[in-house]
Amino acid sequence: APHSCSPSKHAIFQARTHTPPRLIRLIVLLPPPQTTLHKMWRALTKPRLAMMAAGFATGALIVTGSNAHADDALHAPSYPWEHNKMNKGLDMKSVRRGYEVYKGVCAQCHSIKLIAYRNFVDQIATEDEAKEWAAEVEITDGPDDTGEMFERPGKLADYIPSPYANDNAARAANAGALPPDLSLIKKARHGGEDYLFALLTGYRDPPAGISLREGLYYNPYFPGGAIGMPQPLYEGMVDYEDGTESSVSQMAKDVSTFLTWVAEPEFNERKRMGWNALFVLALAAIPSLYFKRMKWSVLKTRAIRFTKM
């Protein structure tokens, strides 16, 4: 906000345009002179600001150091995913193969509660294929006219069921560990699909000097290095419909791509909309620049003369 001052400190700008001739007066308020009180206030606040800055810096160092000690997992490498390029989308063939891996391996313990069978239509399957996949599972529905629950084949509107009835059943079947839902796992883990791929392919024998208790497995990409999930992928354990070789790296890549799609089913559509928006903005920039030059040409060609009061 401008400082208050006496009228004698005002500077008056008189400007005259070429066409039509007119006078415009602009009053610019100058800041007041440096008073003794103002200088004393600045002298008092400078040390306080320095102390506050030092306190913030110390707090940041403490938090950073604590996170560094807590983060004892190996960071996943950055892999060259095609869908991370600006002009590329998800490989839907890979997404479909990833669903085959999930269905045959991951679905034994993990759920994807936010995905319904209808989401597969026109994405990785036709409507008939999605209906066939849904009909393979039994869904608890009801109550019926007698007040009883009943089982029925799945429909497109049904969400993919969880392998366990509830969390307690899941913990009981996994030595107390709760398998996480994979609907948003790509967004919930630092590194996204890089972390998922590294975790699935990172199982190995523990190094010398590290012993794990029974039921844990060594994976340097998991925090702490000890994970309760055994190695899920082995060579040739999934028969792809398209005949792709089911190596560990191929299955890990496909299921990571599938989980990326699960977290963002609109991934490809969002990129297409983004490119369309950029195209429209580029077209709108041409008349906008022309209008800007025309609108401001009068102001930019004014002659300004300074006068004293």
Side-chain angles (χ1 to χ4, degrees), residues 163-179:
Y164 303 105
N166 50 61
D167 290 350
N168 290 338
R171 288 190 176 94
N174 292 276
L178 178 63

Side-chain angles (χ1 to χ4, degrees), residues 241-300:
E241 293 179 352
D242 59 1
T244 302
E245 181 183 358
S246 56
S247 62
V248 172
S249 59
Q250 181 67 51
M251 290 185 291
K253 178 254 185 185
D254 290 335
V255 76
S256 299
T257 305
F258 170 70
L259 293 177
T260 299
W261 175 83
V262 167
E264 299 180 82
E266 74 287 350
F267 187 93
N268 290 350
E269 182 64 24
R270 178 167 52 82
K271 276 200 170 182
R272 282 193 291 267
M273 291 179 63
W275 279 108
N276 292 338
L278 290 177
F279 178 73
V280 171
L281 289 175
L283 292 181
I286 299 175
S288 298
L289 291 174
Y290 176 79
F291 180 77
K292 180 259 181 187
R293 290 177 60 87
M294 179 184 68
K295 188 71 175 179
W296 288 87
S297 61
V298 175
L299 298 176
K300 289 187 176 182

Side-chain angles (χ1 to χ4, degrees), residues 7-306:
S8 61
K9 297 297 182 179
H10 292 168
I12 306 300
F13 291 83
Q14 292 183 344
R16 182 177 61 190
T17 57
H18 296 293
T19 55
R22 59 181 180 179
L23 295 178
I24 296 180
R25 293 179 177 271
L26 301 177
I27 301 178
V28 178
L29 300 178
L30 299 178
Q34 296 292 331
T35 62
T36 304
L37 182 61
H38 186 245
K39 292 179 180 179
M40 291 176 61
W41 173 254
R42 292 185 60 185
L44 289 174
T45 54
K46 279 185 178 181
R48 294 181 181 179
L49 293 176
M51 292 176 63
M52 291 174 61
F56 280 120
T58 304
L61 288 175
I62 293 174
V63 172
T64 304
S66 301
N67 290 338
H69 287 293
D71 189 9
D72 52 357
L74 186 64
H75 287 274
S78 180
Y79 297 104
W81 300 94
E82 283 292 314
H83 58 260
N84 284 338
K85 298 179 180 178
M86 288 189 62
N87 60 337
K88 298 290 184 179
L90 288 170
D91 180 4
M92 301 312 294
K93 292 182 179 180
S94 179
V95 173
R96 177 166 177 143
R97 291 195 301 267
Y99 174 67
E100 295 180 42
V101 177
Y102 167 80
K103 184 179 178 181
V105 181
C106 310
Q108 310 307 316
C109 300
H110 297 276
S111 60
I112 45 175
K113 298 178 181 178
L114 299 183
I115 295 296
Y117 289 100
R118 66 173 180 267
N119 297 123
F120 295 145
V121 178
D122 297 332
Q123 295 291 325
I124 63 173
T126 63
E127 183 175 348
D128 293 336
E129 287 176 326
K131 287 181 178 179
E132 183 180 349
W133 293 348
E136 294 175 357
V137 300
E138 293 292 325
I139 302 296
T140 301
D141 204 348
D144 57 14
D145 294 339
T146 63
E148 299 293 333
M149 305 298 290
F150 61 91
E151 300 288 330
R152 62 165 177 80
K155 302 181 294 186
L156 286 180
D158 294 321
Y159 286 84
I160 296 178
S162 171
Y164 303 105
N166 50 61
D167 290 350
N168 290 338
R171 288 190 176 94
N174 292 276
L178 178 63
D181 180 78
L182 301 182
S183 299
L184 299 174
I185 198 69
K186 182 260 180 181
K187 293 184 176 181
R189 297 295 184 269
H190 177 70
E193 56 268 59
D194 290 333
Y195 168 79
L196 298 175
F197 182 87
L199 183 72
L200 293 172
T201 58
Y203 285 86
R204 61 201 65 186
D205 295 331
I210 295 181
S211 59
L212 303 176
R213 65 178 176 86
E214 185 179 357
L216 294 180
Y217 306 87
Y218 182 72
N219 193 316
Y221 297 103
F222 188 78
I227 184 172
M229 180 178 68
Q231 181 175 345
L233 301 178
Y234 293 93
E235 298 286 339
M237 69 182 308
V238 175
D239 294 326
Y240 284 131
E241 293 179 352
D242 59 1
T244 302
E245 181 183 358
S246 56
S247 62
V248 172
S249 59
Q250 181 67 51
M251 290 185 291
K253 178 254 185 185
D254 290 335
V255 76
S256 299
T257 305
F258 170 70
L259 293 177
T260 299
W261 175 83
V262 167
E264 299 180 82
E266 74 287 350
F267 187 93
N268 290 350
E269 182 64 24
R270 178 167 52 82
K271 276 200 170 182
R272 282 193 291 267
M273 291 179 63
W275 279 108
N276 292 338
L278 290 177
F279 178 73
V280 171
L281 289 175
L283 292 181
I286 299 175
S288 298
L289 291 174
Y290 176 79
F291 180 77
K292 180 259 181 187
R293 290 177 60 87
M294 179 184 68
K295 188 71 175 179
W296 288 87
S297 61
V298 175
L299 298 176
K300 289 187 176 182
T301 55
R302 285 179 175 175
I304 300 177
R305 185 175 69 250
F306 297 91

